[in-house]
């Protein structure tokens, strides 16, 4: 396939409710949508970098720059046999995994359109439905959190992840566990804890959580290994795992027993599948993380989560948990068994709604040959 046109759109989409983590509060999801054309077909991709680089060093601004100045020129008008060739094509450009993953996703979609094959099938997916859960931002008090949890359970979610931060942790977890003794419950600290604060996680063992996600700063694998040796709850890494190499080191160190896979964090679906394969070979459960994606990124997550090693529910909620109006059609809905259907149309299996898109565009740039 040969790509002759690339368009980058910066979007700003209002969230149904604000999302608060240990590091940042977001009210509007800003992201980049990438459109590629080639061989008479088109593909869409989503770059999950955010306006503010609180989750990782990438931002909308750095991704725009790296796409415009380095990534798009590296692939325009050159022959690509398969999307899996993309990572080696851009290997000379260090870092910036979210920028790379956004463009790679568009190339996967394009390849799927050309081949008439759904993304899930191209990646080796086996499920037609995937188990999902809901990620709940930090709430102002325990009472509010209990109401929010109750509402999501009424909607049909069967797994709940609570965002925590120092001072807003044990009391919240205890209250939710008390109200819902059998709920699949897990926590995510987004690297907010000091490494000498392991006591709080030792105390969490009594609440029988599915996992504790990224308690410590991402660079510190040893601190996570020390924690895993002290607690019986599995430690799960998110921010720390930016490649299959890092995943191997984390597992060798016993720094985690579960891995959250996000294609955006690791440079694309090709690398994400490699991490999945490594973990499957070692019997380490993985699950698909989320970045408050639009329907474009959500479709990609569903395809990825259909691979056999994704044995824990993903942070992939129904569209209406995040957006009143989305750029992609159809919207994703929750089935009564707490699953969402994996798209079956070619590529990502969703269409971008031009009028919705225009509603959210902040700026656009087009790159084309001749
Ligand atoms: C995580 N996601 O697992 C992330 C982090 C996160 C679903 O918990 C705007 C855009 C707000 C991206 C908040 C979930 C966000 C965001 C949190 C990503 O760590
Ligand atoms: Mg996380």
């Amino acid at each position: 396939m040969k790509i002759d046109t690339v368009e980058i759109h910066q979007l700003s989409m209002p969230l149904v409710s604000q999302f608060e983590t240990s590091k940042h509060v977001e009210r509007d999801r800003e992201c980049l949508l990438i459109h590629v054309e080639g061989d008479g077909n088109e593909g869409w991709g989503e770059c999950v970098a955010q306006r503010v680089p609180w989750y990782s060093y990438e931002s909308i601004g750095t991704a725009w720059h790296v796409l415009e100045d380095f990534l798009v020129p590296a692939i325009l008008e050159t022959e690509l046999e398969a999307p899996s060739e993309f990572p080696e094509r851009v290997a000379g450009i260090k870092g910036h995994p979210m920028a790379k993953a956004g463009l790679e996703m568009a190339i996967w979609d394009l390849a799927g359109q050309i081949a008439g094959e759904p993304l899930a099938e191209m990646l080796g997916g086996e499920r037609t439905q995937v188990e999902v859960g809901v990620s709940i931002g930090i709430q102002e008090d325990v009472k509010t959190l209990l109401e929010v949890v109750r509402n999501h359970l009424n909607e049909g979610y069967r797994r709940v992840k609570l965002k925590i931060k120092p001072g807003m942790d044990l009391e919240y977890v205890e209250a939710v566990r008390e109200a819902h003794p059998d709920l699949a419950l897990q926590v995510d600290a987004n690297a907010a804890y000091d490494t000498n604060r392991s006591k709080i996680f030792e105390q969490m063992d009594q609440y029988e959580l599915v996992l504790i996600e990224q308690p410590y700063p991402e660079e510190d694998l040893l601190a996570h290994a020390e924690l895993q040796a002290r607690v019986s709850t599995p430690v799960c890494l998110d921010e720390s795992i930016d490649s299959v190499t890092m995943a191997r080191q984390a597992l060798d160190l016993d720094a985690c027993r579960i891995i959250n896979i996000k294609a955006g964090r690791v440079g694309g679906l090709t690398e994400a599948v490699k991490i999945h394969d490594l973990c499957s070979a070692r019997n380490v459960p993985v699950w698909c993380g989320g970045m408050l994606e639009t329907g474009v990124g959500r479709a990609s997550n569903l395809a990825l989560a259909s691979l056999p090693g994704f044995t824990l529910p993903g942070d992939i909620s129904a569209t209406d948990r995040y957006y009143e109006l989305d750029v992609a059609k159809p919207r994703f809905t929750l089935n009564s068994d707490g699953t969402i259907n994996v798209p079956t149309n070619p590529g990502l299996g969703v269409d971008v709604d031009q009028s919705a898109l225009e509603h959210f565009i902040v700026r656009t740039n087009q790159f084309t040959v001749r």
Side-chain angles (χ1 to χ4, degrees):
M1 97 198 101
K2 208 174 205 176
I3 294 160
D4 49 50
T5 305
V6 180
E7 267 178 336
I8 308 175
H9 303 288
Q10 180 177 334
L11 309 188
S12 179
M13 294 170 56
L15 292 165
V16 165
S17 54
Q18 70 168 43
F19 199 100
E20 179 166 350
T21 69
S22 57
K23 303 266 174 85
H24 185 75
V25 186
E26 202 61 86
R27 291 179 181 79
D28 301 280
R29 181 54 166 127
E30 296 190 36
C31 67
L32 303 179
L33 276 198
I34 299 157
H35 182 243
V36 298
E37 288 174 53
D39 302 345
N41 283 281
E42 60 172 350
W44 286 95
E46 176 169 347
C47 168
V48 298
Q50 304 177 52
R51 192 173 52 82
V52 177
W54 68 268
Y55 171 87
S56 74
Y57 63 80
E58 288 185 274
S59 69
I60 297 273
T62 67
W64 183 277
H65 154 60
V66 170
L67 280 159
E68 175 167 84
D69 292 335
F70 305 114
L71 298 174
V72 171
I75 56 123
L76 255 196
E77 226 201 357
T78 64
E79 196 59 46
L80 266 177
E81 276 302 319
S84 56
E85 278 185 1
F86 174 79
E88 40 189 287
R89 197 64 63 84
V90 298
I93 299 155
K94 281 224 173 220
H96 302 282
M98 293 177 183
K100 289 172 179 169
L103 184 53
E104 200 206 69
M105 191 193 298
I107 296 170
W108 277 103
D109 188 29
L110 176 66
Q113 302 302 331
I114 293 169
E117 202 181 347
L119 179 62
E121 213 169 277
M122 301 173 85
L123 297 177
E126 293 178 355
R127 299 188 186 90
T128 55
Q129 277 133 23
V130 300
E131 282 187 58
V132 302
V134 64
S135 174
I136 301 179
I138 295 171
Q139 305 296 316
E140 56 183 338
D141 52 43
V142 170
K143 184 169 168 282
T144 311
L145 175 62
L146 287 173
E147 282 168 20
V148 173
V149 170
R150 170 91 322 235
N151 289 341
H152 287 306
L153 295 180
N154 289 343
E155 288 163 350
Y157 291 102
R158 295 184 178 182
R159 186 229 67 177
V160 166
K161 167 166 131 179
L162 306 179
K163 291 290 191 179
I164 56 167
K165 69 176 180 183
M168 297 175 100
D169 40 35
L170 271 183
E171 191 195 347
Y172 284 69
V173 172
E174 180 180 34
V176 174
R177 176 51 85 212
E178 201 175 294
H180 306 284
D182 300 320
L183 177 64
L185 185 64
Q186 59 197 60
V187 294
D188 185 0
N190 285 111
Y193 287 80
D194 210 285
T195 50
N196 58 32
R197 300 190 59 166
S198 69
K199 227 182 88 204
I200 201 100
F201 300 110
E202 287 168 30
Q203 288 170 302
M204 279 193 197
D205 268 344
Q206 64 186 301
Y207 302 118
E208 299 192 56
L209 303 178
V210 177
L211 57 87
I212 297 167
E213 182 176 344
Q214 197 70 46
Y216 299 140
E218 49 267 45
E219 301 82 6
D220 207 342
L221 289 183
L222 290 179
H224 289 96
E226 281 163 26
L227 176 63
Q228 185 65 91
R230 287 160 166 269
V231 298
S232 56
T233 307
V235 172
C236 169
L237 291 176
D238 173 357
E239 286 92 325
S240 290
I241 308 299
D242 59 3
S243 62
V244 68
T245 304
M246 214 50 173
R248 189 178 302 116
Q249 293 186 54
L251 295 179
D252 283 350
L253 286 169
D254 196 22
C256 66
R257 293 183 183 159
I258 295 176
I259 290 179
N260 162 327
I261 300 183
K262 292 174 180 166
R265 194 192 64 228
V266 303
L269 291 161
T270 306
E271 190 76 7
V273 171
K274 285 186 190 169
I275 297 173
H276 161 272
D277 294 349
L278 170 80
C279 291
S280 289
R282 297 191 180 202
N283 285 315
V284 172
V286 302
W287 55 285
C288 185
M291 293 291 284
L292 281 57
E293 287 86 353
T294 75
V296 172
R298 201 168 300 277
S300 172
N301 286 345
L302 287 163
L304 181 62
S306 74
L307 271 69
F310 284 80
T311 53
L312 291 170
D315 275 348
I316 314 171
S317 302
T319 306
D320 64 8
R321 186 261 178 273
Y322 290 118
Y323 301 107
E324 219 160 274
L325 179 63
D326 194 1
V327 292
K329 280 183 184 167
R331 294 169 73 87
F332 294 105
T333 54
L334 190 67
N335 300 321
S336 58
D337 61 352
T339 65
I340 297 182
N341 297 346
V342 178
T344 53
N345 285 334
L348 290 172
V350 292
D351 288 319
V352 168
D353 174 348
Q354 205 60 37
S355 71
L357 183 66
E358 271 153 32
H359 207 80
F360 299 128
I361 288 182
V362 175
R363 58 171 168 163
T364 293
N365 205 349
Q366 190 187 67
F367 310 88
T368 189
V369 288
R370 113 205 83 150

